[in-house]
Amino acid sequence: MISSTPDAQKQLIEALSRFSDLPPEAGLPAGALRSAETLGAAFYRFSIGEFYWVFPAEQRAEAFSELSIAPVPGSDELLAGLAQIRGELTPIYQLHSRLAQALPARNKTLVFHLDGAMVGLLIDALPERQWLEPSSATDEPLFNERTDPVSALVRGVARDGNRHLIQLAVEHLGSALRELASTSASTHEKGPTPTIPEHV
């Protein structure tokens, strides 16, 4: 548990502000942005409730089961808490509440390495390899644009058979999550549940 001391508060501020000065392509090696844009490469797929997400296989990431996460009192529900990963406090976020999905009984965490900063997401299942052809990209809307609570994290949408895959905007993941979480819980208005095709 993280106590409310000046040192702990300083560590929290440092952990949440590591993304301020990262370049837009943070975490992606040369050529990965182009591959991600065309969806013509290998990806990893993970799920958050009913929603499937993908990120480029070139992106450095680690998966953890039952990671110890210390909640941060008074924080927005999007911030699940902080975890010690190799001695570094790392912010862990959960998108389940924004997507009106139930949190999994056992936590699985996907931690992305973004040019020296780390940020984690709670997920429902460990990532699996996914190959997507350029033709799999689609303009079909997955969310209601007016009520979409996580649009800042979406780079695009692809199809794999009858399944829609949301492409995670890894290049600005840390700053986008921090900005979403900085919204006060008292002023955050929850809209209707995002619409998702019946066949997903």
Side-chain angles (χ1 to χ4, degrees), residues 27-94:
L28 293 174
L33 277 176
R34 180 177 55 78
S35 296
E37 288 172 351
T38 61
L39 292 173
F43 288 76
Y44 278 102
R45 182 186 72 246
F46 63 94
S47 62
I48 295 176
E50 300 175 23
F51 298 86
Y52 292 92
W53 299 72
V54 292
F55 64 93
E58 297 93 339
Q59 169 64 49
R60 186 182 173 201
E62 297 177 86
F64 298 88
S65 291
E66 298 298 318
L67 185 66
S68 178
I69 302 172
V72 179
S75 64
D76 185 85
E77 61 184 349
L78 184 71
L79 179 63
L82 298 175
Q84 286 275 2
I85 298 178
R86 286 183 291 283
E88 183 176 314
L89 275 179
T90 301
I92 308 297
Y93 295 88
Q94 59 90 5

Side-chain angles (χ1 to χ4, degrees), residues 69-138:
I69 302 172
V72 179
S75 64
D76 185 85
E77 61 184 349
L78 184 71
L79 179 63
L82 298 175
Q84 286 275 2
I85 298 178
R86 286 183 291 283
E88 183 176 314
L89 275 179
T90 301
I92 308 297
Y93 295 88
Q94 59 90 5
L95 297 179
H96 294 74
S97 58
R98 293 293 200 268
L99 295 171
Q101 303 294 302
L103 284 166
R106 295 184 178 180
N107 87 61
K108 295 179 179 61
T109 310
L110 187 57
V111 175
F112 296 90
H113 294 253
L114 306 172
D115 287 2
M118 291 187 290
V119 60
L121 278 179
L122 291 184
I123 60 177
D124 287 27
L126 296 179
E128 298 181 8
R129 195 84 164 180
Q130 173 84 46
W131 179 264
L132 293 174
E133 298 291 345
S135 59
S136 63
T138 177

Side-chain angles (χ1 to χ4, degrees), residues 23 62 70 75 77 83 105 113 124 160 165 167 177 180-181 185 187 196:
E62 297 177 86
S75 64
E77 61 184 349
H113 294 253
D124 287 27
D160 178 30
L165 303 172
Q167 189 181 1
L177 284 168
L180 282 174
T187 60
I196 188 166

Side-chain angles (χ1 to χ4, degrees), residues 14 20 23 28 31 62 64 73-74 102 113 120 127 140 145 148 161 164 166 175 179 190:
E14 289 176 353
S20 300
L28 293 174
E62 297 177 86
F64 298 88
H113 294 253
E140 296 177 33
E145 293 181 0
D148 176 11
H164 282 79
I166 307 167
S175 57
E179 185 174 340
K190 293 183 179 179

